[in-house]
Amino acid sequence: MVSSLRHDMLLFTTLLTAWLPFLSFVLIIIFTRRHPRLSSSLSITAVSVSMLGAVVLLMAGGDMAFPIQYTAKWLISGDIFIPFGFLLDPTSLLMLTLVAVISFLVQIYSLGYMAGDPGLSRYYAFQSLFAWAMMSLSLSSSMLQLYVFWELVGLSSYLLIGFWYEKFSATQAGKKAFVMTRLGDMAFFLGLLVVLQNFGNLNIPEMNSPELATRISPALMALSALLVFGGIVGKSAQFPLLTWLPDAMEGPTPVSALLHSATMVAAGVFLFARLFPFFSYSAGAMTIFLAIGTISMLLASTMAMVDRDIKRVWAYSTISQLGFMIMGLAAGSFFAGTFHLTTHAAFKALLFLCSGVWIHQYKTNDMFQVGRLGGRGLKVPVACIIVAAAALAGLPPLSGFFSKEAVMASLAAMDNPVWLIAGLVGAFLTSYYAFRLVFIILFPKKIETVHHEEQVGGQHSLAHYWVMAWPLIILAGITLILGFFQSSLEDFLVGHSVSEGHRGGQHGWLLFVTMGLSFCGVGLAWLEFGRRGSPQVGFLERIPRLKGLFAERWYLDHVYGRFVHDVIDGFFSKLSTRNDQQIIDGGIDGLSRFTLGSGRVLSFLQSGLLRHNLFFVFAVIAVVALYFLLV
Amino acid sequence: MDIELASFPYLSSILMSCVLGLLVILFVPEERRVLIKWVSLVFSGVAMLLSVYLFFAYDKTQGGLQFVEKVLWVKSLGIQYFNGADGFNLPLILLTGIVHFTAVLTMWELEKRVKEFFALSFVLVAGVFGFFMSLDLFFLFVWFDVSLFPMFPLIAIWGTTRKEYGAMKLFLYLLAGSAMVLPAIIYLFVKSGLNTLDLVALMQPGTFTPFQQKFAFIFLYLGFGILAGVWPFHTWSPVGHVAAPTSVSMIHAGVLMKVGAFGVLRVAIFLCPEGWRYWSELMALLAAIGIVYGALVALSQTDLKYVIGYSSVSHMGIVGLGLSTLSVEGLNGAVFQMFAHGIMTALLFSSVGYIYDKTHTKMIPELGGMSKVMPVASGYFIVGALAGMGVPVLAPFWAEVMVFISSLKVYPVRGVLAISALLVSALFMLRLVQRTFYGERNERFAHLPDVSFGLGIPRMILVAVLILFGLFPWLMLDLIQTSAIPLVESLF
């Protein structure tokens, strides 16, 4: 009795948490479109209740018997049964909390960042839609339901990336994001259909159960795992579908913060974690995932090393860190990947939000420009970005350090040392590009004099500054302490902390190597950009060819542009259109011309002249007579 | 028993409300335009409400034919006035009710020859309603032709781009379809030897030999398929859509193309299941080609209505693919797609209609930045475009999922081909949205008003329907299944 009441409460909380933002989306679109203040308060109220709900669920989660699943009928068609439901287990609860907290902070921050924007209501409506889609995604109990919300997450990011739709580059970026992720989603959908046909079920716990491996042949398992992974490649912007993410920073900065930390791109890695047992049944596929994660991590790091645009550097860094998470997961460590996803969400959101303060203040994305205009004058973002960059670089005692170590340990456990070496190279590159940016902003070579009142602005702008500063401080706090919760998180996620022992024992040296490399990266950045009299020219810029390659994103964009322009538009579409106009339609028009023409020819017979008529009568009689004579 | 009537003739009442609407309009003087519009609105509203009632009143646990009305009409030929509702035609009756009502509202600002326009619309819609509900081959054919003939004047008089050409082309194509259907019906009537045109009696197994079924099926399939825009007999449809005035485009793409698809289901598949099985490979092939081809051609169009027209070819291909799978899911998906596509294209054409009315252009390069000028009108179009891309929470998504699931099982290669069109359709829809609605505020049209609340009502209804069935797909699928399961079971 008590437990049923408790379950009812649990279900109610879950429903409330996931669906309140949807309610706020609907209300804003229908009623409060013209009242931006009301819209923003509606959306923030909804997301704060969701956040509370998520935290309550997470807290209550400690002593629950997982997984808890609620399902109701959604759709039955022939043999296909698709339930709608919630799946509560450590993975989903952790993700839910992550999404709710980051969404909440971003929405608060947006009050300052987006103040005065004419589309504020629309902005908050889309934010609510985004929060709803992402939270429901993490709670989904069947893969088809997850796919539905997966697509909705894609839709909301399309809408938010292209939020400033007057800007051509923004709409272009939104479109690119949607189409590129759609490419991955098609593979994902096909993969699901393969599983559905051969297993007859898309329920997540059942897909993860060992029973699956006995029902499906290994080849099909590998095929479906690879196809489903296609969706992850698209969503998490992994190689080769990675070029949409850097463009996606055309959206407002808080949107980038959301997109790059807890939603959208995180959905991909979350899916990997969600179906971790399913993926790990096919070892061959896992190796491919590991390779893709590694390539993405290294490629994106190189791109980040030469860019001047603050947001774009963080975007590359997101790709690279997501690759790193996938490496961890593909190396077989569920916890390492998930833990890095969690810590990354906090510090990446922090990085974007800090940069947003400068971008808002100085109206430029160029890091040299921000430094020159006196970026270091803004104390809160300066302090916070140092914390976040250190976490990104994996310096102790910040959260990133712990999660990076966990991933490294899982890589070190692999037989092939290549992956570990790649990971270490990545760690070096990461700390280099992170601190390159920090030093450029902190130690500009020449400071342009900026009027003080302009710098912090009037009373109004000061208020905005503090609205934006508070979320930064909270996130920095989270980044500082999250690492110390490693073992309790591990306990929560995996049920026991196994790796505790052998992490220290077997690979004790690894800790120091990783740390050393990270500090080397920071040191190199200091030499080139930080110290007094430094040239502020990276070593890569002295090799123009390499710099060109990195700055042009390894020419991946050119390939895609060519593909769409030449192959789809220039060949297939043109061919079909020409065929339509000239062959199919032309054939029909030709037929009608023929009919008209033959009618015209025949009409000569009806000239009305007696001699023609007589001739015709004679001819017919002759033909008939001939026929009878011959037959 | 010659007469068999339901407690209240709901189905005939739907027909009667169209006929009455027509008669009342004929007696209203030409100058009283507003009155004519109100009369149309009221009678189309009654038809819509009745169709909504029937949709929900149908007893799903019992299944089968309900609300039957049967009156013997010509005994010597076995012609009956025989109407009935089942899981296949109820969604389409509902669709017709909604689309006609919203079409009347969309044309609220019409000034040119109002009386004739609304009168002809009623004739058209009465034909469509009759076709969907009739279960007698003679009446089916008569209603089929009744729904075709008003298209010619409607396009030729009120149309726009190359209207005479478009009207003529459309009319000839549809007539050709009709000319293929009629001999097939007569052939079946003669071969059955039952001296009846009652569809239920004729569909008893064993009535026709397999050869007869195969022979008749291909005629019926192609004849009705022309109207459904089956590749390669589709070229009339984009031309016709473009030439037609807004509400006619809505009815044409939203409802009339479904008449074709429904004809394939109701006549060809019901009467000739062996033929269905025999020709299903061909159906799947044409459908899969149509899906990809339509999307590819849409990619290179510059006229808004042409883009939607070709996307309709692509989306109707999904209906064809679903019908070709010989499975419950496929049939479910196909019928659901007929409904969902009807609502979606009605929304798209209705929104384009507003933009065209105000700007007098539907060329994409001349537009651009319309979101700043008319945000609400643009919003409606964008929802329609999202539905066209198969975004979840909007009805077409579920229909497509059903069809893809079933088709991949039966025709893996064609199924993958069809799924790959999802990418192309996302590309052309987003491109269209970007070029038409996004970008700097369009100064040339900056003075134009946004859609008013009243004129927004039809679009609101359509959006609400899309979302309703997108959130609760079982509302539709449970109903369709009551007919799909027995049909497939009777076959295998």
Side-chain angles (χ1 to χ4, degrees):
Chain A
M1 188 63 212
V2 175
S3 84
S4 102
L5 179 70
R6 195 164 164 212
H7 269 237
D8 283 350
M9 288 300 294
L10 209 60
L11 179 60
F12 179 71
T13 320
T14 318
L15 262 174
L16 202 67
T17 306
W19 284 77
L20 258 186
F22 182 66
L23 186 68
S24 105
F25 165 70
V26 172
L27 289 179
I28 293 174
I29 286 287
I30 298 182
F31 297 111
T32 69
R33 224 176 27 240
R34 289 174 216 290
H35 311 283
R37 236 166 217 286
L38 212 57
S39 307
S40 54
S41 16
L42 253 176
S43 172
I44 289 175
T45 316
V47 81
S48 14
V49 175
S50 290
M51 183 178 68
L52 283 180
V55 171
V56 166
L57 286 174
L58 189 70
M59 293 296 162
D63 52 323
M64 275 191 290
F66 287 123
I68 301 169
Q69 204 170 359
Y70 301 101
T71 50
K73 168 195 131 169
W74 196 11
L75 188 160
I76 303 175
S77 161
D79 308 329
I80 303 164
F81 174 71
I82 297 166
F84 181 87
F86 297 120
L87 172 64
L88 302 182
D89 70 352
T91 319
S92 66
L93 286 182
L94 180 71
M95 193 66 195
L96 179 73
T97 317
L98 206 63
V99 176
V101 171
I102 304 275
S103 301
F104 170 75
L105 291 174
V106 165
Q107 290 198 14
I108 295 281
Y109 177 93
S110 304
L111 278 180
Y113 192 87
M114 301 297 290
D117 193 283
L120 197 69
S121 288
R122 191 162 51 93
Y123 177 80
Y124 273 99
F126 292 163
Q127 281 275 357
S128 289
L129 181 72
F130 210 158
W132 167 63
M134 192 63 202
M135 287 197 278
S136 304
L137 182 144
S138 36
L139 290 171
S140 293
S141 75
S142 85
M143 279 313 289
L144 202 68
Q145 187 187 346
L146 191 143
Y147 179 77
V148 165
F149 289 109
W150 177 273
E151 288 286 291
L152 285 178
V153 167
L155 170 69
S156 1
S157 39
Y158 161 74
L159 293 171
L160 280 170
I161 293 168
F163 176 73
W164 284 318
Y165 58 76
E166 308 89 319
K167 252 170 54 180
F168 177 71
S169 55
T171 58
Q172 197 71 6
K175 189 176 74 178
K176 190 170 172 186
F178 195 94
V179 173
M180 277 185 113
T181 50
R182 182 46 91 81
L183 190 62
D185 293 351
M186 272 164 32
F188 180 20
F189 186 62
L190 276 174
L192 289 185
L193 293 191
V194 170
V195 177
L196 183 69
Q197 265 170 39
N198 296 289
F199 185 57
N201 201 330
L202 286 177
N203 198 352
I204 290 172
E206 281 171 57
M207 266 178 82
N208 281 334
S209 71
E211 196 200 337
L212 182 78
T214 62
R215 297 259 298 271
I216 300 186
S217 69
L220 270 179
M221 280 288 286
L223 175 70
S224 56
L226 280 173
L227 285 172
V228 172
F229 191 76
I232 299 177
V233 168
K235 213 55 145 195
S236 287
Q238 296 297 293
F239 180 80
L241 298 179
L242 52 78
T243 59
W244 67 267
L245 192 60
D247 290 6
M249 54 110 206
E250 288 292 341
T253 309
V255 171
S256 314
L258 194 62
L259 213 72
H260 287 255
S261 59
T263 60
M264 188 71 184
V265 296
V269 179
F270 171 74
L271 176 64
F272 199 161
R274 181 82 281 188
L275 288 181
F276 185 71
F278 165 77
F279 285 119
S280 48
Y281 293 138
S282 22
M286 285 290 259
T287 315
I288 295 176
F289 305 160
L290 192 57
I292 287 177
T294 312
I295 293 172
S296 315
M297 186 206 54
L298 290 177
L299 276 190
S301 311
T302 59
M303 297 174 194
M305 285 158 68
V306 292
D307 218 299
R308 291 169 67 100
D309 185 309
I310 305 179
K311 281 171 80 176
R312 208 151 16 186
V313 170
W314 299 142
Y316 292 130
S317 132
T318 306
I319 299 173
S320 146
Q321 293 299 305
L322 291 166
F324 197 58
M325 290 168 213
I326 287 176
M327 285 169 78
L329 286 165
S333 172
F334 168 72
F335 173 71
T338 322
F339 186 40
H340 196 56
L341 177 66
T342 315
T343 58
H344 173 262
F347 67 71
K348 185 50 63 67
L350 184 55
L351 284 171
F352 270 104
L353 294 183
C354 288
S355 318
V357 179
W358 284 308
I359 293 169
H360 187 67
Q361 189 75 30
Y362 303 116
K363 311 275 179 266
T364 173
N365 279 8
D366 188 309
M367 54 179 92
F368 289 94
Q369 195 75 10
V370 167
R372 236 173 275 144
L373 291 171
R376 61 177 169 185
L378 301 172
K379 299 294 178 235
V380 178
V382 165
C384 291
I385 207 167
I386 292 173
V387 171
L392 173 62
L395 304 182
L398 296 150
S399 60
F401 164 74
F402 294 95
S403 54
K404 201 169 260 192
E405 289 305 326
V407 177
M408 288 295 181
S410 71
L411 291 178
M414 301 290 287
D415 295 329
N416 196 337
V418 170
W419 311 117
L420 179 64
I421 294 169
L424 290 173
V425 172
F428 171 74
L429 298 180
T430 305
S431 55
Y432 171 74
Y433 71 70
F435 277 88
R436 167 178 173 263
L437 192 153
V438 171
F439 291 142
I440 285 174
I441 289 182
L442 281 188
F443 308 111
K445 284 304 107 163
K446 58 172 195 281
I447 300 177
E448 288 170 17
T449 44
V450 183
H451 303 297
H452 248 282
E453 56 271 44
E454 202 181 314
Q455 201 180 79
V456 186
Q459 200 65 31
H460 193 57
S461 157
L462 195 68
H464 289 165
Y465 177 67
W466 280 105
V467 167
M468 293 197 271
W470 276 112
L472 299 187
I473 295 168
I474 295 170
L475 277 173
I478 295 176
T479 307
L480 280 170
I481 58 166
L482 197 58
F484 300 103
F485 287 96
Q486 181 176 8
S487 53
S488 57
L489 252 178
E490 192 163 7
D491 202 36
F492 177 67
L493 277 175
V494 196
H496 48 87
S497 16
V498 267
S499 52
E500 199 69 52
H502 80 238
R503 184 170 52 235
Q506 206 175 338
H507 301 291
W509 52 270
L510 184 61
L511 190 82
F512 300 103
V513 174
T514 317
M515 243 161 60
L517 279 169
S518 298
F519 277 114
C520 282
V522 178
L524 183 60
W526 168 255
L527 280 178
E528 287 183 353
F529 298 98
R531 71 187 162 85
R532 198 175 293 273
S534 61
Q536 292 235 325
V537 176
F539 66 94
L540 282 171
E541 274 153 74
R542 303 205 184 98
I543 316 168
R545 187 165 290 182
L546 214 53
K547 190 203 165 205
L549 179 68
F550 294 167
E552 290 294 328
R553 310 177 191 176
W554 295 73
Y555 298 101
L556 279 174
D557 256 357
H558 296 261
V559 174
Y560 291 126
R562 269 282 160 77
F563 177 72
V564 170
H565 186 259
D566 291 354
V567 179
I568 294 186
D569 276 340
F571 183 72
F572 284 113
S573 176
K574 208 170 180 181
L575 188 74
S576 305
T577 312
R578 189 172 295 168
N579 177 51
D580 211 53
Q581 284 164 355
Q582 291 174 3
I583 298 181
I584 297 184
D585 222 25
I588 294 295
D589 284 349
L591 194 67
S592 80
R593 264 198 302 279
F594 171 74
T595 315
L596 282 177
S598 53
R600 203 164 291 140
V601 169
L602 284 177
S603 72
F604 285 126
L605 296 176
Q606 302 293 331
S607 57
L609 291 173
L610 189 61
R611 54 199 168 102
H612 286 172
N613 288 358
L614 281 176
F615 174 75
F616 191 64
V617 168
F618 176 75
V620 170
I621 290 173
V623 170
V624 171
L626 209 62
Y627 175 78
F628 277 111
L629 281 176
L630 290 180
V631 174
Chain B
M1 194 57 194
D2 287 341
I3 297 178
E4 183 186 322
L5 282 181
S7 56
F8 181 80
Y10 289 104
L11 290 168
S12 294
S13 308
I14 292 180
L15 275 178
M16 278 317 288
S17 66
C18 291
V19 176
L20 276 180
L22 172 67
L23 289 178
V24 174
I25 286 179
L26 290 183
F27 285 105
V28 176
E30 167 80 49
E31 314 82 60
R32 308 216 37 200
R33 289 180 185 152
V34 179
L35 186 64
I36 291 173
K37 287 170 188 167
W38 274 106
V39 169
S40 309
L41 190 67
V42 168
F43 282 99
S44 63
V46 169
M48 178 176 74
L49 289 179
L50 282 170
S51 65
V52 172
Y53 171 76
L54 287 183
F55 183 82
F56 288 103
Y58 181 85
D59 185 355
K60 289 174 198 161
T61 50
Q62 196 191 335
L65 279 180
Q66 295 179 16
F67 311 109
V68 175
E69 300 153 4
K70 204 180 207 178
V71 180
L72 190 62
W73 198 47
V74 180
K75 199 163 187 180
S76 58
L77 289 172
I79 299 174
Q80 294 166 316
Y81 175 76
F82 180 13
N83 291 336
D86 64 0
F88 288 139
N89 63 6
L90 275 176
L92 296 165
I93 291 173
L94 177 67
L95 170 74
T96 313
I98 295 172
V99 171
H100 185 216
F101 182 74
T102 51
V104 170
L105 275 173
T106 301
M107 293 312 272
W108 206 252
E109 291 189 328
L110 182 75
E111 293 297 330
K112 180 183 174 189
R113 299 175 77 173
V114 177
K115 184 170 168 175
E116 289 99 320
F117 184 85
F118 285 104
L120 281 170
S121 298
F122 269 120
V123 176
L124 169 60
V125 171
V128 174
F129 268 130
F131 182 80
F132 285 145
M133 62 181 68
S134 183
L135 287 162
D136 182 273
L137 282 178
F138 174 79
F139 271 98
L140 265 173
F141 187 74
V142 170
W143 288 125
F144 183 58
D145 279 358
V146 167
S147 69
L148 299 187
F149 109 85
M151 289 303 284
F152 185 79
L154 279 171
I155 294 176
I157 296 175
W158 290 274
T160 48
T161 320
R162 291 205 296 164
K163 55 187 181 182
E164 287 85 6
Y165 173 78
M168 185 52 96
K169 185 165 201 162
L170 178 139
F171 199 66
L172 287 179
Y173 257 90
L174 302 191
L175 220 55
S178 172
M180 289 173 93
V181 168
L182 185 61
I185 288 180
I186 294 173
Y187 174 79
L188 288 176
F189 171 73
V190 172
K191 289 289 171 186
S192 77
L194 297 175
N195 196 31
T196 179
L197 285 160
D198 183 336
L199 201 75
V200 179
L202 287 174
M203 70 176 285
Q204 296 309 317
T207 311
F208 304 109
T209 64
F211 171 76
Q212 288 167 346
Q213 297 191 17
K214 286 173 200 165
F215 180 71
F217 185 90
I218 191 70
F219 278 93
L220 291 170
Y221 168 60
L222 292 180
F224 284 122
I226 288 178
L227 191 51
V230 167
W231 188 88
F233 310 108
H234 64 276
T235 50
W236 62 274
S237 100
V239 177
H241 290 324
V242 173
T246 304
S247 79
V248 177
S249 299
M250 287 169 71
I251 296 176
H252 174 196
V255 180
L256 212 60
M257 287 179 94
K258 277 72 195 175
V259 166
F262 186 73
V264 173
L265 174 63
R266 183 65 105 199
V267 183
I269 293 178
F270 266 52
L271 292 182
C272 314
E274 277 303 319
W276 183 30
R277 201 197 298 241
Y278 182 76
W279 292 107
S280 62
E281 292 271 339
L282 177 75
M283 288 171 75
L285 183 67
L286 294 185
I289 294 177
I291 293 172
V292 179
Y293 184 91
L296 283 173
V297 179
L299 201 58
S300 69
Q301 300 300 319
T302 50
D303 182 317
L304 274 176
K305 277 188 150 185
Y306 263 115
V307 178
I308 307 169
Y310 276 104
S311 84
S312 282
V313 172
S314 175
H315 287 130
M316 287 305 288
I318 292 175
V319 175
L321 190 61
L323 289 179
S324 72
T325 58
L326 311 171
S327 68
V328 177
E329 295 93 57
L331 285 174
N332 277 342
V335 178
F336 197 173
Q337 172 75 357
M338 290 187 210
F339 176 83
H341 174 254
I343 300 286
M344 176 186 94
T345 28
L347 175 62
L348 286 171
F349 277 122
S350 170
S351 309
V352 170
Y354 181 79
I355 292 166
Y356 180 73
D357 281 349
K358 297 298 165 201
T359 62
H360 302 291
T361 180
K362 47 189 162 54
M363 301 308 290
I364 297 171
E366 292 178 31
L367 294 162
M370 295 307 288
S371 263
K372 279 276 176 218
V373 181
M374 28 182 92
V376 180
S378 310
Y380 288 128
F381 186 93
I382 292 171
V383 173
L386 293 178
M389 292 175 347
V391 165
V393 182
L394 297 168
F397 170 78
W398 291 110
E400 287 172 16
V401 166
M402 288 293 124
V403 172
F404 289 148
I405 289 177
S406 59
S407 67
L408 208 62
K409 213 179 278 180
V410 193
Y411 314 108
V413 177
R414 278 161 275 193
V416 171
L417 190 69
I419 291 176
S420 72
L422 281 178
L423 186 73
V424 186
S425 63
L427 198 60
F428 78 73
M429 279 294 187
L430 291 181
R431 218 183 247 182
L432 165 73
V433 167
Q434 182 190 21
R435 291 185 185 160
T436 313
F437 299 104
Y438 296 161
E440 291 289 339
R441 182 191 181 85
N442 194 326
E443 291 307 329
R444 192 174 140 203
F445 303 122
H447 60 283
L448 295 173
D450 197 358
V451 62
S452 65
F453 182 80
L455 275 179
I457 292 174
R459 286 112 194 166
M460 270 175 234
I461 295 174
L462 294 167
V463 169
V465 173
L466 280 180
I467 293 176
L468 177 73
F469 289 103
L471 283 178
F472 308 108
W474 50 267
L475 275 177
M476 184 61 80
L477 287 169
D478 282 2
L479 176 68
I480 301 171
Q481 293 212 83
T482 56
S483 291
I485 293 177
L487 179 66
V488 173
E489 270 172 1
S490 74
L491 193 61
F492 303 107

